[in-house]
Amino acid sequence: MGSPSLSDYSLDNPSLSTAPSSKPGGNKNHHNHHSHNHNHNNHNGGNGNNRGGRSQRRPSNRDEFDGPHQFLQRPPPEYIAMQERELPHLPTNLLVQEQDSVLTQVNDRLSQCAYDFVAKYQFPIPLTQDMRPVERPQDREWTEWVYLLKRLATKRRIPARVLYNGQIKQFVTILENSLEMRHAAKHQSRPLKDDRNILQLISAGIQVAKILKDAPAMDFLDKLYVSTEQQIQERAAAAAARFR
């Protein structure tokens, strides 16, 4: 069997495609051969499946917004001006220490709720070198409990029957709605939250306890919601009385 000729090698290998020919004028023949392939690829629209052709890759900084798209009609200037006026003031009647106390209670109760749920159904908790085994709810922050529960759900380790009304599809969303809890309770430099936001965070915790079917946790958080709402109303009434 004779030695393979240069044309038998793929041009994708630069060390082979640039090899000098042993025949006189071999470089010229190689140039013509390469030009023929280049023209052939251009004739076929640069199809990457052609021999020696390059695949047409979309630049990494391009996305679906660079393709066919549309723009909505811009609203009238007076409508935009109305939207951009100063935002309405939302009442904030709780002191920062009071807000921290409420959010910490929600955070701690949710951690206990997650701990009980995982223990009850014997769901596995992955161990890593930088995390000690769980012996009590406080051994994991609420964000870590949420991450664990989300992973168990997405890996189909949690059967729908153990959740309220089998709401496995809503489970991750309900967990994510409560994620601000730990951030709000832990970061002391955060700005004050308005009253509605505080009540909303307690309500998000109630929904977590509900979907995990934890009656004591639901009862605790519901009472916390009622007492916090009452405190807000009393504080607002006292403030209104001072300005009469």
Side-chain angles (χ1 to χ4, degrees):
M1 180 180 295
S3 301
S5 65
L6 181 63
S7 61
D8 291 328
Y9 292 109
S10 170
L11 292 179
D12 290 336
N13 189 335
S15 64
L16 297 176
S17 62
T18 57
S21 172
S22 59
K23 297 180 181 180
N27 288 339
K28 181 178 179 181
N29 291 336
H30 169 68
H31 176 75
N32 291 337
H33 176 74
H34 183 75
S35 298
H36 173 72
N37 276 342
H38 180 71
N39 293 334
H40 180 68
N41 288 333
N42 287 340
H43 178 71
N44 286 279
N47 191 337
N49 293 329
N50 291 330
R51 185 178 180 181
R54 294 183 178 180
S55 60
Q56 297 295 315
R57 295 181 179 177
R58 187 171 65 179
S60 59
N61 61 341
R62 291 178 61 85
D63 52 34
E64 66 271 22
F65 299 105
D66 294 307
H69 59 274
Q70 71 170 102
F71 292 104
L72 300 179
Q73 183 176 354
R74 188 183 299 275
E78 58 273 14
Y79 186 83
I80 295 178
M82 182 176 61
Q83 289 179 316
E84 294 180 348
R85 73 180 192 275
E86 186 177 356
L87 296 176
H89 172 72
L90 296 178
T92 303
N93 289 290
L94 297 181
L95 302 176
V96 64
Q97 297 88 347
E98 294 169 332
Q99 292 189 3
D100 290 341
S101 174
V102 169
L103 297 178
T104 298
Q105 290 182 70
V106 178
N107 177 79
D108 292 344
R109 195 61 187 85
L110 288 180
S111 294
Q112 179 71 54
C113 184
Y115 178 93
D116 293 341
F117 179 76
V118 172
K120 177 181 178 180
Y121 295 105
Q122 289 295 286
F123 294 125
I125 301 178
L127 296 177
T128 59
Q129 292 182 348
D130 58 340
M131 298 183 73
R132 64 180 181 179
V134 177
E135 297 179 356
R136 54 181 186 164
Q138 295 79 11
D139 287 336
R140 295 289 186 272
E141 294 187 359
W142 174 238
T143 52
E144 294 169 327
W145 283 117
V146 169
Y147 178 78
L148 172 64
L149 293 174
K150 286 171 60 178
R151 292 293 293 170
L152 288 170
T154 55
K155 294 299 182 180
R156 299 184 179 181
R157 296 292 189 112
I158 299 179
R161 60 180 172 79
V162 304
L163 301 177
Y164 178 77
N165 279 352
Q167 295 178 338
I168 191 68
K169 293 183 178 179
Q170 294 87 350
F171 187 46
V172 171
T173 300
I174 291 174
L175 289 172
E176 289 177 343
N177 288 342
S178 70
L179 272 178
E180 189 182 357
M181 204 76 58
R182 182 60 187 172
H183 176 82
K186 189 175 182 181
H187 292 75
Q188 303 300 323
S189 60
R190 63 170 177 80
L192 275 172
K193 293 184 175 296
D194 61 79
D195 298 338
R196 291 171 177 79
N197 198 351
I198 294 295
L199 294 175
Q200 180 184 17
L201 290 173
I202 303 175
S203 181
I206 294 174
Q207 297 306 312
V208 172
K210 180 179 179 180
I211 199 168
L212 294 181
K213 296 197 290 190
D214 190 327
M218 273 192 71
D219 185 58
F220 174 88
L221 294 172
D222 185 61
K223 289 179 179 178
L224 180 63
Y225 185 100
V226 172
S227 63
T228 303
E229 185 179 38
Q230 182 178 2
Q231 183 181 14
I232 289 172
Q233 291 173 349
E234 291 174 352
R235 193 72 54 81
R242 288 197 301 268
F243 289 100
R244 288 176 184 172

